[in-house]
Amino acid sequence: AQSVTQLDSQVPVFEEAPVELRCNYSSSVSVYLFWYVQYPNQGLQLLLKYLSGSTLVKGINGFEAEFNKSQTSFHLRKPSVHISDTAEYFCAVSERGQFNKFYFGSGTKLNVKP
Amino acid sequence: EAGVTQFPSHSVIEKGQTVTLRCDPISGHDNLYWYRRVMGKEIKFLLHFVKESKQDESGMPNNRFLAERTGGTYSTLKVQPAELEDSGVYFCASSQGGTGANYGYTFGSGTRLTVV
C-alpha cells in the first residue's frame, strides 16, 4: 500500500536560515511527487512537482525539492526562509496508473521566527 | 478565474444530526475530488467524480457519507447521521479533464466540520 511519511510535524527556524522539510514514501510502482503548502485560512497550493526528468525541481517562492529514488525521498528545501513562509507543508504522491488520487503525508508546520 | 469554492467554511453540529457540504469547482473542470483531514493527520482521499459519475469512491469511510454531483457542476457531500469521528477538515479539489493528479489539482479552502 502507498504511504507518505513526514517525520517532522513542526519545524521552527529563524528568518533567513535554510530549511529542509523531509518526505519519504513507499510504493511498489513508479510515482509522481508533489509538495503543497497551506497558508492560514487558505486552500492547498501547489509548490512544485516531479513527474519525470531532472531529479531537482524548482517551485514557487524559492523552494526546490530533490527526488531520490534509491532513498524513496523527496525533501523540500529553501536556502533562506522568510516570515511569510510560515505555513503547513504537505508532501503528496500519486502512482502511475492511478493518477487521479493523491496520498498525502501528515504535514509539517514551518514556523519562521524573526 | 474563480477558484474552487467550498461552503460553509465552518460547521458545528451535534452527533446524530445531518450536515451537507458543498463544493463549486472551477468552471469547466470535469474532475472533482473530495479529501478529508482528521485530527491533524494526513489528508485522505474520499472520492473522485468525472463529470457527474463517481469514478473512484474507494475512500468513502462508510454508508453515512453520500456524495453527489448532479449535472456535473457543483458537488455535495452529506454526512447522515454525523458521528464524533467525522470531525475534521473536508477539502474539495478540481482539475481539467484528463490531467488529474499529474499536474496538480486546485484545492478549495476546506470546510471545518466539528461534531459535538
Side-chain angles (χ1 to χ4, degrees):
Chain A
Q2 185 67 262
S3 70
V4 181
T5 302
Q6 292 180 247
L7 287 174
D8 304 307
S9 60
Q10 297 192 52
V11 173
V13 63
F14 287 105
E15 193 173 19
E16 298 183 4
V19 70
E20 178 180 83
L21 306 184
R22 296 179 293 168
C23 173
N24 288 85
Y25 68 92
S26 66
S27 176
S28 58
V29 300
S30 296
V31 296
Y32 297 145
L33 298 154
F34 305 79
W35 275 97
Y36 278 85
V37 59
Q38 185 180 24
Y39 298 104
N41 301 316
Q42 295 186 27
L44 295 164
Q45 179 181 353
L46 181 66
L47 261 183
L48 48 78
K49 60 183 182 285
Y50 170 79
L51 303 181
S52 64
S54 173
T55 57
L56 181 64
V57 291
K58 294 187 183 298
I60 62 172
N61 301 337
F63 284 93
E64 64 181 31
E66 186 160 20
F67 170 50
N68 188 318
K69 187 175 181 180
S70 63
Q71 297 185 4
T72 61
S73 67
F74 191 55
H75 301 330
L76 181 70
R77 301 185 184 98
K78 187 170 183 178
S80 176
V81 295
H82 302 289
I83 296 289
S84 58
D85 293 324
T86 294
E88 191 159 21
Y89 293 78
F90 294 91
C91 181
V93 171
S94 69
E95 295 180 320
R96 292 186 183 180
Q98 200 181 21
F99 53 76
N100 275 303
K101 180 187 290 186
F102 279 126
Y103 297 89
F104 282 91
S106 53
T108 298
K109 290 183 179 178
L110 177 64
N111 183 16
V112 182
K113 304 176 181 180
Chain B
E1 64 179 1
V4 176
T5 305
Q6 292 186 247
F7 49 94
S9 57
H10 295 82
S11 179
V12 180
I13 62 170
E14 293 185 350
K15 176 182 174 181
Q17 288 186 324
T18 297
V19 64
T20 300
L21 314 180
R22 172 167 168 149
C23 169
D24 287 73
I26 292 174
S27 178
H29 280 193
D30 288 339
N31 294 296
L32 186 148
Y33 314 83
W34 284 98
Y35 283 76
R36 176 175 76 166
R37 189 184 191 199
V38 173
M39 294 285 289
K41 296 186 177 178
E42 66 270 23
I43 301 169
K44 286 191 173 180
F45 171 86
L46 295 178
L47 87 160
H48 168 216
F49 284 100
V50 177
K51 297 184 180 179
E52 66 275 8
S53 299
K54 293 177 185 175
Q55 188 75 16
D56 181 354
E57 53 183 328
S58 61
M60 294 289 265
N62 52 61
N63 59 11
R64 295 186 293 103
F65 288 76
L66 174 64
E68 295 179 322
R69 192 182 182 196
T70 306
T73 55
Y74 71 90
S75 174
T76 58
L77 181 64
K78 180 188 289 187
V79 185
Q80 180 181 27
E83 299 289 344
L84 298 179
E85 63 264 27
D86 300 332
S87 296
V89 180
Y90 291 77
F91 291 101
C92 176
S94 70
S95 69
Q96 293 179 340
T99 57
N102 293 16
Y103 301 94
Y105 307 152
T106 301
F107 279 87
S109 301
T111 293
R112 181 175 295 278
L113 175 64
T114 303
V115 183
V116 297

